[in-house]
Amino acid sequence: MTRDAVAEFLSSVSAELGEIEQAGLYKRERELTTAQSARIATTAGASLNFCANNYLGLADDPRIVTAAKDALEEWGFGMASVRFICGTQSPHRALEEEIADYLGLADSILFSSCFDANGGLFEVFFGPEDAIVSDSLNHASLIDGIRLTKAKRLRYANADLDDLRARLEEARDANCRRIAIVTDGVFSMDGSYAPLEGICDLADEFGALVIVDDSHATGFVGEQGRGTHELLGVMGRVDIITGTLGKALGGASGGFVAGPSEVVDLLRQKARPYLFSNAVAPAVVAGSRQALSLARAADAERVQLRANAALFRSLMEEEGFDLLPGTHPIIAVMFPGDDGARLATEIADAMLDDGVYVIAFSFPVVPRGKARIRVQLSAGHTEADIRACVRAFVEARARVAGN
Ligand SMILES: *Cc1c(COP(=O)(O)O)cnc(C)c1O
């Protein structure tokens, strides 16, 4: 490019940045000066953290840190290879087997992230003769992964079984070879669950596969933390589960697809983000194995997490806040209407000044008029932390909204 052409390019990029800023959508990253935990410090000062996906409080667990350190010594820093050339060590396979065993499926395959798992999954199995029926609130990585296929794409209204049935009828009438129903197990902006029992019933009726992304569930949803399929009584009826190691399971990085062994085998042969991207680092694999083992045994933490979410809900409702209903540790505090986006943002900012870190979401991340502050509870929060969070909500509301 000539100098002039570069200048023109950069000036149009600046203009776009300006538009983002103007629309109030510019994302500024707050820098943590500590490890990830329920109590952190940022460059703005100390705070209680209510916006991480650290559901079991494992992100800085010393047992995981030790396992990762030991693996650095034993297995080295990095693989410098994709899995199928020379990037597979014994711990990689062990973790894959352990994930599958926990979820109640035959096998699993690791990816660099769940984003990549979802990005690689669909194009291996679905072509122009197939149909993918997808919930309207599905995660961006599912949407992108589905877009990479030439399959017929049908969208149903969030968690709406009547609409799902109508889309399945459409797929059946088109004589599709394969039909898949794809949903998040937990919708991350609402903290609501997919109606998996109804979905599995419809899947039986229409001969469809059920694919669930359980990123906001694996490790803590359900009695043993196996996920939404455990909670909703459909273990053995969900065909394929994708998930992340970057949330409850220690929070480092990595994702997986779990399912029948033929599915996993074909992904190893053909999934592009698997074939053409580096193996997960050994220390992350070892730390994640330790995290998974801790999660399996974390009955007390799961009880604590449920109690924390219930306490937060009841205290906030007593104070007259408007919460989306549910039981998941993602709790949406709603600020509806035209002024909601401003209110939510100003309240979240005021709370940070009080040492409580929460984040406001507004359009286009959530529908217009449905702004919210999303609070995420962790088993690592104490009752005092939760009461401090509620107090900060009450005081910030008084300051910002004058009530
Ligand atoms: C967080 C999340 C992902 C992305 O997981 P990464 O491992 O961080 O790429 C994918 N799907 C859902 C539903 C998620 O919540």
Side-chain angles (χ1 to χ4, degrees):
M1 251 189 198
T2 64
R3 240 166 232 279
D4 278 357
V6 170
E8 201 171 306
F9 167 66
L10 293 181
S11 107
S12 68
V13 171
S14 293
E16 188 172 345
L17 285 167
E19 283 162 25
I20 294 171
E21 175 89 58
Q22 280 279 285
L25 299 174
Y26 195 91
K27 293 178 275 300
R28 286 190 173 73
E29 297 179 359
R30 218 157 250 135
E31 290 178 19
L32 275 62
T33 54
T34 62
Q36 183 65 280
S37 183
R39 274 160 290 275
I40 54 171
T42 71
T43 46
S47 62
L48 287 169
N49 189 0
F50 283 91
C51 54
N53 303 307
N54 190 18
Y55 297 108
L56 294 172
L58 293 177
D60 62 342
D61 189 287
R63 292 162 292 184
I64 297 175
V65 173
T66 300
K69 270 190 193 164
D70 291 350
L72 271 174
E73 298 287 346
E74 185 175 357
W75 300 96
F77 178 61
M79 291 313 300
S81 171
V82 298
R83 289 284 300 276
F84 83 92
I85 297 180
C86 56
T88 300
Q89 294 168 323
S90 311
H92 290 91
R93 269 309 290 155
L95 177 56
E96 288 170 338
E97 284 163 13
E98 288 156 6
I99 289 168
D101 179 63
Y102 187 40
L103 300 184
L105 290 161
D107 201 357
S108 85
I109 172 173
L110 292 175
F111 287 80
S112 304
S113 65
C114 186
F115 203 107
D116 272 351
N118 290 337
L121 170 64
F122 297 98
E123 68 169 337
V124 172
F125 299 103
F126 303 99
E129 61 278 47
D130 305 314
I132 302 178
V133 188
S134 170
D135 189 286
S136 64
L137 288 191
N138 277 348
H139 190 264
S141 55
L142 289 172
I143 295 169
D144 287 5
I146 293 167
R147 268 192 201 147
L148 290 173
T149 72
K150 295 194 162 60
K152 193 178 182 58
R153 300 195 293 263
L154 302 166
R155 209 166 71 133
Y156 64 96
N158 175 234
D160 182 333
L161 292 173
D162 294 328
D163 200 33
L164 173 57
R165 170 182 287 282
R167 300 288 84 75
L168 288 167
E169 282 166 356
E170 221 177 290
R172 184 176 57 193
D173 293 346
N175 281 318
C176 292
R177 176 187 64 157
R178 295 173 177 162
I179 304 175
I181 304 170
V182 180
T183 183
D184 281 10
V186 175
F187 297 98
S188 64
M189 284 297 145
D190 297 351
S192 58
Y193 295 105
L196 287 189
E197 193 181 2
I199 287 174
C200 289
D201 289 345
L202 284 170
D204 289 348
E205 188 179 332
F206 286 86
L209 284 161
V210 177
I211 302 177
V212 175
D213 176 344
D214 231 5
S215 290
H216 281 286
T218 310
F220 63 97
V221 166
E223 200 63 27
Q224 298 178 286
R226 295 171 195 261
T228 47
H229 62 324
E230 184 195 357
L231 177 77
L232 301 175
V234 293
M235 280 191 74
R237 299 184 68 197
V238 172
D239 301 290
I240 296 174
I241 294 176
T242 70
T244 184
L245 304 172
K247 291 186 170 121
L249 299 178
S253 65
F256 56 83
V257 177
S261 49
E262 299 85 339
V263 164
V264 168
D265 288 350
L266 194 61
L267 286 168
R268 269 190 223 288
Q269 301 307 311
K270 295 183 74 177
R272 293 169 67 81
Y274 183 81
L275 290 179
F276 301 111
S277 188
N278 199 23
V280 178
V284 170
V285 171
S288 299
R289 288 185 70 196
Q290 181 64 52
L292 183 61
S293 150
L294 293 172
R296 291 191 83 141
D299 291 341
E301 287 78 2
R302 281 186 282 274
V303 168
Q304 185 67 54
L305 179 57
R306 276 193 282 279
N308 284 354
L311 176 65
F312 179 80
R313 283 187 170 279
S314 72
L315 293 174
M316 287 291 284
E317 276 165 359
E318 271 169 36
E319 296 293 348
F321 284 95
D322 174 11
L323 309 184
L324 288 186
T327 56
H328 192 273
I330 290 174
I331 299 173
V333 183
M334 303 303 288
F335 295 90
D338 290 343
D339 204 27
R342 184 192 63 82
L343 262 181
T345 306
E346 290 184 8
I347 288 174
D349 288 347
M351 288 174 69
L352 189 66
D353 292 340
D354 277 353
V356 173
Y357 195 179
V358 292
I359 295 284
F361 293 91
S362 53
F363 182 80
V365 181
V366 295
R368 221 183 270 284
K370 295 199 171 170
R372 67 200 64 186
I373 293 174
R374 180 177 72 169
V375 176
Q376 292 175 280
L377 278 299
S378 167
H381 291 128
T382 64
E383 180 174 339
D385 295 341
I386 294 164
R387 290 185 182 277
C389 180
V390 173
R391 208 176 317 118
F393 262 105
V394 171
E395 285 168 11
R397 177 178 60 185
R399 249 181 297 160
V400 171
N403 63 23

